[in-house]
């Protein structure tokens, strides 16, 4: 008897676990991405979080108007749910991304449709969803979701929308797509490398014998990027989920300390270092996409095509080894003017070496020190920053420079922004103390450290933008 009572309860539980009726929008979007093999990029924007962090209500004159619109849409769309998106990978280097999708949770279908119509959009009513189509855009509102599609030359909007809703209701397996969409951030972006490859295959003629091998290498390989705006900083954290075979072609060293050691000495304002093996990267192109550079040249134009042809059999490795470092030195003089000086180190490829040798004497004549040893070149524009004296003096917060194979930083304090063509936008860079960047085969990070630690950086930027607009209007 107990078994008879237990069985239907178990069946009901199983049905409810697999039902799409009570799934979150994150799970629905994950299901759609899984059902569409051409989706290369996906993620979400947490609009509510971004608006709250910016304290938009306090914006003079505009804040109250924005708040009214936000209140309306919070009643119509999922208040605490972000806006999700998905993009197909490019199949043509000139045309860019072919199709973009966006998704949001709906709390009141009829009210949302009425609000959309009030704003001048015609809606075709139907049982499953209400539809609008115009130009390159189509969007539809159902009881649970609003779906937005844009595509160059869109003509079959309704049929695409129907397939999207089918995808939203398909199975949602436990995989990297679902894991990436569950990350917490203000902007989350995932990349499906297998889908990226599948779309690339339509541009580059990949050898039939290599297709299955490359497909296997990219299966279940993803990258994720999570952007967050915080009190006193902006942070971008990247993580790569790659097969061991793909990682092998990255060809990165464990760090770039050896490159950093060749960049002279003294206080440094900005620097970049890279320790990679371009031969491994080129070997990947040679093996799986031998005509890739040719296709790039065709799309870039005649001059680029000629330059790429000059690289010969070694390809990119003939131009550059993958080892490079450059440091911006200098400090303000008594008048406050900043005179930039540069230290650099590069290991060239064998193909380009004869061309550089012809210019080496002229380059060295204008520098405090210039050394060329085979393919290795080291240069210093000022005698004040030559090697020795303890090496580079790194700014506070930038001490990890060189810890990863790709590493960089910019110290905004003491940097004369007026020497850069920023069209009056240097005021926004002055909100920050420094920026750091680092990357290896497992992922990377970018960090902007703000001067104001008490306020969220979005609030700081909004306040500065308000001042900027007011000053421009008054002038």
């Amino acid at each position: 008897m107990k078994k008879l009572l237990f069985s239907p309860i178990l069946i009901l539980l199983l049905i409810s676990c697999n039902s799409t009726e009570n799934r979150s929008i994150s799970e629905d979007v994950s299901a759609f991405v899984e059902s569409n093999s051409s989706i290369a990029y996906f993620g979400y924007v947490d609009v509510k979080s971004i608006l709250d962090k910016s304290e938009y209500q306090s914006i003079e004159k505009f804040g109250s108007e924005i708040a009214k619109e936000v209140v309306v849409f919070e009643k119509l769309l999922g208040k605490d749910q972000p806006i999700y998106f998905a993009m197909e990978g490019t199949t043509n280097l000139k045309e860019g991304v072919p199709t973009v999708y966006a998704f949001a949770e709906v709390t009141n279908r009829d009210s949302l449709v009425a609000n959309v119509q009030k704003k001048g959009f015609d809606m075709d009513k139907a049982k499953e969803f209400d539809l609008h189509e115009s130009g390159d855009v189509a969007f539809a509102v159902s009881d649970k979701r609003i779906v937005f599609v844009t595509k160059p030359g869109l003509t079959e909007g309704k049929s695409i929308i129907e397939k999207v809703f089918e995808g939203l209701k398909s199975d949602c397996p436990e995989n990297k797509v679902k894991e990436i969409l569950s990350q917490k951030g203000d902007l989350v972006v995932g990349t499906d490398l297998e889908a990226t490859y599948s779309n690339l295959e339509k541009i580059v003629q990949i050898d039939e014998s290599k297709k299955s091998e490359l497909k296997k290498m990219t299966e279940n390989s993803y990258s994720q990027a999570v952007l967050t705006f915080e009190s006193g900083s902006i942070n971008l954290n990247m993580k790569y989920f790659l097969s061991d075979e793909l990682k092998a072609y990255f060809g990165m060293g464990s760090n770039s300390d050896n490159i950093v050691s060749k960049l002279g000495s003294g206080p440094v304002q900005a620097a970049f270092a890279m320790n990679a093996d371009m031969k491994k990267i080129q070997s990947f192109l040679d093996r799986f996409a031998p005509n890739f550079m040719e296709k790039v040249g065709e799309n870039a134009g005649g001059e680029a095509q000629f330059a790429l042809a000059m690289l010969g059999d070694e390809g990119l490795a003939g131009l550059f080894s993958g080892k490079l470092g450059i440091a911006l030195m200098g400090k303000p003089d008594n008048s406050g003017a900043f005179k930039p000086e540069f230290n650099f180190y590069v290991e060239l490829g064998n193909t380009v070496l004869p061309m550089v040798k012809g210019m080496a004497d002229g380059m060295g004549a204008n520098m405090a020190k210039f050394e060329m040893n085979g393919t290795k070149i080291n240069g210093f524009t000022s005698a004040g920053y030559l090697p020795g004296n303890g090496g580079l003096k790194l700014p506070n917060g930038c001490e990890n420079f060189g810890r990863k194979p790709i590493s960089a930083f910019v110290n905004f304090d003491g940097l004369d922004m007026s020497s850069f063509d920023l069209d009056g936008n240097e005021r926004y860079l002055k909100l920050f103390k420094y920026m750091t960047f680092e990357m290896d085969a497992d992922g990377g990070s970018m960090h902007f450290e703000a001067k104001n630690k008490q306020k969220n950086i979005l609030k700081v930027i909004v306040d500065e933008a308000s001042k900027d607009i007011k000053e421009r209007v008054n002038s």
Side-chain angles (χ1 to χ4, degrees):
M1 184 68 180
K2 284 182 180 178
K3 288 182 180 179
L4 289 172
L5 287 170
F6 180 73
S7 297
I9 293 172
L10 179 61
I11 292 168
L12 284 171
L13 283 171
L14 288 171
I15 291 171
S16 64
C17 287
N18 291 302
S19 171
T20 63
E21 288 301 313
N22 298 315
R23 277 198 327 208
S24 67
I25 185 170
S26 173
E27 291 174 308
D28 281 358
V29 173
S30 179
F32 168 74
V33 173
E34 184 66 21
S35 71
N36 190 332
S37 61
S38 63
I39 298 296
Y41 314 100
F42 55 90
Y44 71 77
V45 182
D46 194 336
V47 178
K48 184 179 185 300
S49 172
I50 291 171
L51 287 172
D52 289 346
K53 289 178 178 180
S54 68
E55 297 181 32
Y56 64 92
Q57 301 97 326
S58 64
I59 300 173
E60 190 177 341
K61 295 182 181 179
F62 301 106
S64 59
E65 294 302 316
I66 296 172
K68 289 177 186 176
E69 291 294 325
V70 170
V71 169
V72 171
F73 279 97
E74 279 186 343
K75 292 177 180 177
L76 304 175
L77 300 176
K79 183 178 179 181
D80 298 319
Q81 292 294 336
I83 294 174
Y84 290 83
F85 63 85
M87 295 185 285
E88 293 183 357
T90 183
T91 55
N92 188 306
L93 293 176
K94 287 181 179 178
E95 291 180 1
V97 177
T99 311
V100 178
Y101 307 88
F103 314 86
E105 187 172 281
V106 173
T107 56
N108 191 316
R109 174 177 173 176
D110 292 337
S111 296
L112 179 56
V113 170
N115 194 276
V116 168
Q117 288 175 318
K118 199 180 294 182
K119 295 184 183 302
F121 293 95
D122 295 326
M123 300 292 290
D124 293 332
K125 297 273 190 173
K127 183 178 179 182
E128 188 175 356
F129 56 76
D130 302 320
L131 175 72
H132 169 83
E133 283 187 87
S134 61
D136 296 341
V137 173
F139 62 86
V141 182
S142 74
D143 293 336
K144 290 179 61 180
R145 309 285 180 245
I146 178 170
V147 171
F148 175 96
V149 177
T150 179
K151 175 183 178 181
L154 179 66
T155 56
E156 66 285 9
K158 185 177 180 181
S159 63
I160 291 177
I161 293 282
E162 286 173 345
K163 289 178 182 176
V164 172
F165 276 110
E166 286 175 15
L168 291 171
K169 294 175 183 176
S170 60
D171 292 337
C172 176
E174 295 289 336
N175 60 9
K176 284 299 177 187
V177 175
K178 190 175 179 180
E179 181 183 328
I180 291 169
L181 289 176
S182 70
Q183 301 302 306
K184 298 300 181 185
D186 295 314
L187 171 66
V188 173
V189 180
T191 302
D192 182 337
L193 298 186
E194 184 180 356
T196 304
Y197 146 71
S198 297
N199 287 292
L200 185 67
E201 189 183 300
K202 297 166 187 173
I203 303 173
V204 183
Q205 285 118 28
I206 296 174
D207 191 298
E208 287 295 329
S209 62
K210 302 292 189 299
K211 283 184 180 181
S212 59
E213 182 183 352
L214 186 53
K215 182 175 174 57
K216 187 176 179 181
M217 284 172 61
T218 57
E219 273 179 5
N220 301 315
S221 290
Y222 294 85
S223 72
Q224 76 175 32
V226 179
L227 178 68
T228 54
F229 299 99
E230 299 170 13
S231 293
S233 67
I234 300 173
N235 291 292
L236 175 64
N237 291 299
M238 295 163 285
K239 196 172 181 180
Y240 305 140
F241 308 97
L242 307 176
S243 64
D244 291 338
E245 293 83 0
L246 268 182
K247 278 187 180 180
Y249 280 110
F250 262 53
M252 290 187 182
S254 58
N255 58 54
S256 51
D257 284 345
N258 190 45
I259 307 297
V260 173
S261 67
K262 301 179 186 300
L263 295 180
S265 63
V268 56
Q269 286 293 143
F272 172 83
M274 176 179 179
N275 180 19
D277 188 340
M278 197 59 69
K279 286 185 178 179
K280 284 189 176 181
I281 296 171
Q282 185 61 48
S283 70
F284 177 86
L285 294 176
D286 289 342
R287 182 171 180 78
F288 297 107
N291 66 334
F292 179 72
M293 297 310 297
E294 180 186 333
K295 290 290 182 181
V296 171
E298 288 175 7
N299 285 273
E303 291 183 9
Q305 202 168 352
F306 176 75
L308 291 170
M310 291 289 289
L311 296 179
D313 294 336
E314 287 192 290
L316 293 174
L319 173 67
F320 171 51
S321 70
K323 293 176 171 56
L324 169 71
I326 185 165
L328 171 64
M329 318 296 286
K331 55 186 177 180
D333 58 23
N334 294 331
S335 67
F338 180 86
K339 184 188 176 186
E341 301 289 352
F342 294 93
N343 298 345
F344 68 89
Y345 175 81
V346 62
E347 293 185 19
L348 300 174
N350 292 316
T351 306
V352 79
L353 189 60
M355 290 180 271
V356 175
K357 278 183 178 178
M359 300 183 286
D361 291 340
M363 292 169 66
N366 298 313
M367 294 185 184
K369 185 177 182 181
F370 182 84
E371 296 178 329
M372 188 167 182
N373 182 12
T375 60
K376 303 173 183 177
I377 300 176
N378 219 171
F380 309 85
T381 62
S382 170
Y385 303 106
L386 295 176
N389 302 319
L392 296 178
K393 292 189 172 87
L394 300 172
N396 290 335
C398 306
E399 297 87 354
N400 287 332
F401 178 61
R403 187 182 69 172
K404 295 290 178 75
I406 296 179
S407 189
F409 73 86
V410 178
N411 178 31
F412 298 114
D413 277 347
L415 193 63
D416 183 9
M417 305 292 182
S418 62
S419 59
F420 300 94
D421 186 17
L422 297 174
D423 194 26
N425 292 313
E426 59 270 10
R427 65 189 300 155
Y428 296 101
L429 289 181
K430 289 179 180 178
L431 301 174
F432 298 94
K433 293 174 67 176
Y434 61 84
M435 179 279 290
T436 60
F437 174 77
E438 59 183 25
M439 189 176 78
D440 60 16
D442 295 316
S445 66
M446 180 179 284
H447 173 81
F448 284 85
E449 182 78 4
K451 293 176 181 176
N452 188 326
K453 303 285 189 183
Q454 281 67 49
K455 295 180 181 179
N456 188 284
I457 187 59
L458 281 177
K459 169 62 174 168
V460 174
I461 292 172
V462 165
D463 287 346
E464 191 64 31
S466 297
K467 291 178 189 175
D468 188 9
I469 291 169
K470 190 181 292 184
E471 288 171 12
R472 294 189 188 213
V473 169
N474 291 337
S475 64

